[in-house]
Amino acid sequence: MKILVINGPNLNMLGIREPEIYGRRTLKDLEKMIAGHCAGLGVEAVFFQSNHEGAIVDAIQEAYEKYDGIVINPAAYTHTSIAIPDAIKAVGLPAVEVHISDISKREPYRRLSYVSEACIGTVAGLHFEGYLKAVDMLRERLLRSG
Ligand code: CA2
């Protein structure tokens, strides 16, 4: 089982600014944590981060027939992008959306996610641990669908 973990804009700044919202751990720490969790489950995880919507769309398209599923934190594109959910639907891969913070309890403009409807589930507000839950949800779906 091979999954692609995508992090969107500004998540390369994790651990550097706004620790009260996003914590003190870095993107590298996050990727290591996910890789360790995946290794224990026999899942191969590959990581991608970009600040550019088109690059994220390209990464999703390139996942077609190479990966079994996607875990994605689209960051601010969650609330603005139609191209990202379109790409997820186009490749037909199961995807789980994840957010470090609880987007339902922040500014009103963060309450709407255009990406949700293309995903089999969403995890929000569980900090870095939410990515592990997202991996578990994806794995369970993939095991069930054979
Ligand atoms: O809670 C999340 O994971 C978000 O996807 C993070 C996005 C935000 O636009 C979404 O509404 C919710 C922002 C990521 C910015 O990451 C930073 C990390 C460190 C310092 C500053 C920003």
Side-chain angles (χ1 to χ4, degrees):
M1 201 181 281
K2 192 170 170 183
I3 67 166
L4 180 62
V5 180
I6 300 176
N7 278 298
N10 296 308
L11 289 164
N12 54 320
M13 297 294 282
L14 282 172
I16 300 169
R17 300 243 320 121
E18 298 191 70
E20 64 290 354
I21 304 174
Y22 301 113
R24 293 192 183 278
R25 294 174 287 180
T26 65
L27 179 62
K28 274 277 149 280
D29 294 333
L30 173 64
E31 291 178 349
K32 265 192 226 156
M33 183 176 147
I34 300 167
H37 183 73
C38 286
L41 297 170
V43 173
E44 183 186 346
V46 173
F47 300 97
F48 178 79
Q49 189 275 330
S50 178
N51 294 324
H52 305 278
E53 185 177 14
I56 295 170
V57 170
D58 287 343
I60 294 168
Q61 288 188 10
E62 282 158 24
Y64 181 62
E65 290 184 334
K66 289 201 195 87
Y67 291 86
D68 300 302
I70 296 171
V71 167
I72 183 166
N73 183 345
Y77 292 138
T78 305
H79 321 294
T80 61
S81 176
I82 307 296
I84 291 173
D86 277 357
I88 295 170
K89 287 188 250 176
V91 296
L93 290 171
V96 177
E97 175 188 15
V98 54
H99 298 285
I100 296 167
S101 63
D102 185 351
I103 53 174
S104 71
K105 305 239 161 66
R106 296 184 61 191
E107 302 91 332
Y109 59 81
R110 293 189 203 273
R111 284 184 202 144
L112 175 66
S113 166
Y114 289 110
V115 179
S116 288
E117 59 140 7
C119 294
I120 60 164
T122 298
V123 182
L126 298 184
H127 312 282
F128 278 19
E129 285 66 24
Y131 286 79
L132 310 186
K133 185 163 184 204
V135 166
D136 292 346
M137 284 164 68
L138 188 56
R139 179 172 165 271
E140 272 151 37
R141 169 60 67 98
L142 289 167
L143 289 174
R144 270 204 310 276
S145 62

